[in-house]
Structures are given as C-alpha cells and as structure tokens.
Amino acid sequence: MKVKTLAKQVATILGVPFSTRGFHETVTYIAERIENGQKTHVVTANPEIVMLARENRAFQSIVEQAYVVPDGIGIVYAAKWTNQPIRERVTGVELLEALMTEANKHQWGVYLLGAKPDVISLAAEKLAARYPNARLVGYRDGFFRAEDEEQIVLEIAEAKPELLFVALGAPRQDEWMVKYRDRLNASMMMGVGGSFDVISGKVKRAPEIWQKLHLEWFYRLASQPSRWKRQLAIPRFVLTVLKEKWSSRS
C-alpha cells in the first residue's frame, strides 16, 4: 500500500504547518501509515493551539514536526483569508472515533491516557462496547505523579498499541508524547484534549445546528463559562492573521 507524501499538502498559518487533507483523506492517510509501519504524531490544532505555539518556542518545534490537522473553524476561515487550501475541519473527537472504526476493522490495539479517573474508565467502557473488535490494551487517568511515568511508559511500550490517545491538555500532552515517543512503541499517538469527557458523556457536544452554524465554540463557552480566558485566544488569533495578511500585501 503506497502512502502519499506530505509534500505540497501543507498550509502554514501563523507558523503552524496544517495538513490540507479533508477529513476522510486524513483518516485514510493515517490508517495507511499505520499499516505501513510508519509512526505518526498527530496534533489537532485550533486557534488556541496556534497562539500557544507562537508564545512557546519549544511547543512550536513540536508542532512543526507533527502531522497537524485543523481542529477549529477559525483555522478554516484563516486559510480562506490567506488563500490557502484547507477545505474543512478535522475535529479531534471525530478523528478519534473514525480511527477507532479503523481499529475495529483491523483489530488494532488502543491505549487511552488522561482525563479524570471516572471519565477515562467510562470512556474506555463506551469505546470497548462501541468497537468490540478493537483491542483496548490499557487505560490510565491523567492524575499521575512524575515518579509514576516510568511505569506508565513501560506499560504502553509492552502493549504496543497501534493507537495511543492522550488527554493531558495542551501543551503537556504533546510534550509528554514527544518526551517518550522513542520508547512508547505506539504506531500513532494523538493528543485528544477533552475528547474523553465527550465520549464518556460527562460533557455534551454542541447540538448539530450549532456545529453547522460554526458556533460550537460559543456553545462550549455558554456551557462552561470558566473557559472564557481560553476563548480570548480566538479574537487574538483573528487579529494576528489579518495583521499578517495586511502586512504581506503592503
């Protein structure tokens, strides 16, 4: 099975190299890489992640070496404003579910790391029921101490999962995966943020009409007002993109 190269399929937005593949192309591409034994680190980046990378050079370096997908309508709009070919969002929770479908088809091993103890156990239970042919080789909550990390790494390495989903929040989840990637024996590793909260049912996704209106971010803010500081990244992102666009024109 031939894997397409990443060349010429990247759109750079504020220094972050996004894949221009659509959702289904992305799933196929990652699945082919797994089947061909090629390791992949997936970052699902929204405007908040982009602004974080601009402020954190170490994180920027991690993002530059990863396979970055546009998780956020703001990224799609920014691509349109700068005439770059990103056609659609590739959201983290939907990509996770699609890759679980592939795992169910190929009987891949899956390891889940992160979130609260009750959340991760419930998410693991629901994913195991929904995808019975995928091998859930282990899960662990994200409330561990530094001295526990060696045991966790050894457990994942021994399980050799095709899919490793990590929910420790950004940038910690990606920093953690990169720190141990040579030892984890995972074919694909992906930071999934709050996806386990959604899968477990602890947090509800915005209704479909809100998603179609591209107002999912506003629904999350209304449902979780404590997110308001994080949401400030959105107007900062928009202003920065437009500023760079106008600067390049002048």
Side-chain angles (χ1 to χ4, degrees):
M1 205 180 297
K2 188 176 180 181
V3 178
K4 298 176 183 177
T5 61
L6 190 57
K8 297 182 181 178
Q9 299 219 38
V10 171
T12 301
I13 297 176
L14 299 185
V16 174
F18 283 90
S19 164
T20 61
R21 291 182 176 88
F23 183 84
H24 296 296
E25 291 175 293
T26 297
V27 175
T28 299
Y29 177 75
I30 294 173
E32 287 181 354
R33 287 183 63 86
I34 293 171
E35 287 290 278
N36 283 276
Q38 295 174 290
K39 293 190 175 183
T40 309
H41 173 198
V42 178
V43 172
T44 58
N46 56 18
E48 181 184 348
I49 297 297
V50 173
M51 298 310 292
L52 185 59
R54 282 178 68 84
E55 297 159 4
N56 184 329
R57 187 65 191 91
F59 184 51
Q60 174 76 32
S61 180
I62 289 173
V63 169
E64 288 172 352
Q65 298 174 59
Y67 182 78
V68 187
V69 299
D71 181 5
I73 193 61
I75 304 300
V76 178
Y77 282 140
K80 289 181 179 179
W81 297 334
T82 54
N83 298 314
Q84 299 197 73
I86 294 178
R87 305 185 304 278
E88 60 181 324
R89 298 167 62 198
V90 180
T91 66
V93 66
E94 290 173 351
L95 182 56
L96 186 160
E97 294 272 11
L99 290 172
M100 284 300 301
T101 298
E102 293 294 317
N104 196 60
K105 185 190 307 180
H106 299 287
Q107 298 185 332
W108 289 341
V110 182
Y111 194 101
L112 314 176
L113 176 65
K116 296 178 180 178
D118 60 327
V119 169
I120 192 64
S121 60
L122 189 54
E125 179 183 326
K126 291 196 172 185
L127 288 174
R130 200 175 303 160
Y131 306 100
N133 293 324
R135 296 180 298 107
L136 184 59
V137 296
Y139 65 89
R140 172 74 182 252
D141 67 76
F143 290 80
F144 53 82
R145 300 167 299 176
E147 52 265 39
D148 298 326
E149 293 191 10
E150 182 66 20
Q151 178 190 349
I152 295 170
V153 171
L154 290 174
E155 182 180 322
I156 296 172
E158 186 176 342
K160 296 181 180 179
E162 275 78 15
L163 303 178
L164 170 61
F165 297 116
V166 181
L168 299 176
R172 184 188 172 203
Q173 58 195 19
D174 296 291
E175 292 171 342
W176 195 91
M177 288 185 286
V178 168
K179 179 179 179 180
Y180 294 112
R181 87 178 133 201
D182 294 334
R183 299 177 54 200
L184 290 171
N185 285 335
S187 300
M188 187 230 64
M189 54 186 191
M190 181 172 97
V192 296
S195 294
F196 294 152
D197 296 277
V198 174
I199 291 167
S200 70
K202 295 287 186 179
V203 173
K204 301 295 183 184
R205 276 198 81 181
E208 191 173 346
I209 185 63
W210 288 71
Q211 295 179 43
K212 288 182 177 179
L213 292 172
H214 302 150
L215 290 173
E216 192 168 4
W217 63 272
F218 185 74
Y219 179 87
R220 288 199 302 269
L221 180 58
S223 303
Q224 299 172 281
S226 59
R227 294 175 58 94
W228 72 269
K229 286 186 178 180
R230 293 176 56 182
Q231 297 289 4
L232 290 176
I234 296 176
R236 287 173 46 232
F237 170 80
V238 171
L239 290 173
T240 306
V241 170
L242 293 177
K243 182 179 178 182
E244 288 210 353
K245 177 183 178 180
W246 294 329
S247 296
S248 64
R249 283 184 174 180
S250 62

